[in-house]
Amino acid sequence: MAQMDMGVSPPPKGKKSRKKKQSFGKSLVTGLLPCKGDTTAEIARKIVFLLALVILIVAIVMIILQVSKEYGGKSETDRFIIDLKNRTPTQEHIDQLPQGTIDTERFAELYAENNDFIGWITIPGTNIDYPVMQHPEKDYYLHRNFQKQEEFSGTLFVDHKGKITKDSMPQNTIIYGHNMLYKYQFSALMDYKRNINFLRTSPVIEFDTLYNNNQYKIISVFMTNIYEEHGEIFDYTHKIYFTNPDEFFDYVLQCEDRSLYETGVDVQYGDEIVTLSTCDQDTAFEARLVVVARKVRPNESPEVDTEKIVKKDSIKYFDAYYKAYGQTWKGRTWDTSVVKGLDDYIKRNNLEDNPTDYE
């Protein structure tokens, strides 16, 4: 009677007690591994599953190793380039440099390793500190490293149509680079878009070619579309040479209308420009982030009055962006007088865009 009161009673006669429940570990093993008593179909299913699991694990390990190699700190290619820069150049390698090279100690070993080397770009305050290449094939270095080996992250390169020589530079030097993880390659450019204080801290780009040391003051940071289905396209990639002032003014006007900021840096026809181009990964649609800067003139200070750098309240984007984020173009509100001769160009071509027309 006591047993019944506690809810415990012996099993009825003629019935066996229940089997002891398997542990989780044992259940997992018998569920995954072929066991005695499994049917042929069950064994086949388990084998296929195990093979798929092994392939998945191997793939994950390879991805982790690749990420660690390419994005975690310096890659093998980075270390190789640093070693080249730190080597004392041989006289043989110095003699191989093109006539007019200004820094034989700095560039001799780099050029001897790869004659496509054309210069070096540095943006103080960032980890952008890389060699820049130029090859007759436009996208040759898109997925090749400094040693011309296949590597997804590629190498920074100058548009092939803008020849850099001892005697000339393109009016607009376009430098392309991937937007990689962990501030690798040109990913640090995204900080210009995300943080105005970053622009105030690093408003100058240094791009030294084999033949000249150059500094550039940033005049525009903008995002642009590359697909017609997303709206208007500003094809900045074809603006390398300007045959007349109007072509120059058109380019600068397009850049400034789209810029996230006013930088207060003045511009005039005849200024050399450098344009940095990378992918913009902040949006749901593929776009490009572009940073444009004009060259510091002879006898001009490279210092930028950062107090003049302000956010714009009207920025020209494109249809897909407006639909996704609800913003609109409110007309041209930036100070066009910073571009000498631009106001006249705007009037002659009926390009006025008065903010009052949008009220």
Side-chain angles (χ1 to χ4, degrees), residues 129-342:
D129 191 30
Y130 293 111
V132 179
M133 319 301 284
Q134 188 169 43
H135 191 276
E137 296 179 30
K138 177 183 177 182
D139 295 332
Y140 184 83
Y141 284 99
L142 188 65
H143 297 301
R144 285 187 176 91
N145 62 23
F146 185 85
Q147 297 140 286
K148 300 184 179 181
Q149 300 165 339
E150 288 190 9
E151 188 171 323
F152 180 80
S153 56
T155 309
L156 304 186
F157 63 94
V158 173
D159 194 295
H160 68 297
K161 297 187 295 294
K163 301 301 181 184
I164 296 175
T165 69
K166 178 174 66 73
D167 300 315
S168 66
M169 280 280 289
Q171 291 164 293
N172 181 17
T173 301
I174 304 178
I175 305 177
Y176 298 93
H178 285 293
N179 183 351
M180 307 300 290
L181 296 176
Y182 299 111
K183 307 302 179 187
Y184 192 57
Q185 297 286 42
F186 262 176
S187 64
L189 295 182
M190 294 299 295
D191 289 331
Y192 284 116
K193 174 186 174 184
R194 296 166 179 162
N195 188 350
I196 189 173
N197 289 324
F198 183 80
L199 176 58
R200 290 168 177 158
T201 301
S202 301
V204 177
I205 297 166
E206 298 173 4
F207 175 48
D208 299 336
T209 69
L210 288 168
Y211 314 104
N212 290 286
N213 292 330
N214 308 297
Q215 292 178 296
Y216 299 81
K217 298 180 179 183
I218 294 174
I219 63 172
S220 175
V221 177
F222 67 90
M223 182 178 65
T224 189
N225 167 44
I226 61 172
Y227 294 114
E228 289 184 359
E229 57 265 34
H230 291 161
E232 181 186 5
I233 295 176
F234 168 41
D235 191 357
Y236 61 94
T237 64
H238 290 311
K239 306 294 184 179
I240 297 173
Y241 294 100
F242 307 108
T243 59
N244 55 60
D246 280 7
E247 288 187 4
F248 176 82
F249 290 135
D250 175 70
Y251 182 79
V252 174
L253 182 65
Q254 297 272 13
C255 293
E256 295 282 15
D257 279 351
R258 289 168 171 77
S259 182
L260 305 176
Y261 313 105
E262 288 189 67
T263 68
V265 176
D266 67 299
V267 187
Q268 63 188 30
Y269 178 63
D271 283 337
E272 287 183 15
I273 293 174
V274 66
T275 299
L276 311 184
S277 174
T278 193
C279 294
D280 187 320
Q281 298 178 349
D282 279 355
T283 59
F285 36 83
E286 190 172 356
R288 295 290 181 266
L289 179 71
V290 184
V291 177
V292 182
R294 67 99 170 143
K295 187 177 177 179
V296 174
R297 305 174 189 125
N299 303 317
E300 178 190 19
S301 170
E303 297 297 319
V304 173
D305 185 354
T306 56
E307 291 186 0
K308 293 182 178 180
I309 299 175
V310 295
K311 290 183 178 180
K312 285 170 55 182
D313 58 5
S314 181
I315 301 165
K316 183 172 285 188
Y317 289 110
F318 43 93
D319 292 345
Y321 188 91
Y322 295 138
K323 290 177 182 177
Y325 299 98
Q327 298 187 36
T328 59
W329 168 247
K330 303 174 184 177
R332 190 172 296 124
T333 59
W334 58 278
D335 181 10
T336 55
S337 68
V338 297
V339 184
K340 185 178 179 181
L342 181 62

Side-chain angles (χ1 to χ4, degrees), residues 87-113 210:
R87 289 181 192 174
T88 300
T90 65
Q91 188 59 49
E92 177 186 1
H93 288 168
I94 291 175
D95 293 340
Q96 291 177 20
L97 285 165
Q99 185 179 5
T101 299
I102 59 172
D103 194 337
T104 58
E105 290 291 321
R106 184 183 181 193
F107 293 145
E109 293 300 309
L110 291 163
Y111 188 81
E113 180 65 29
L210 288 168

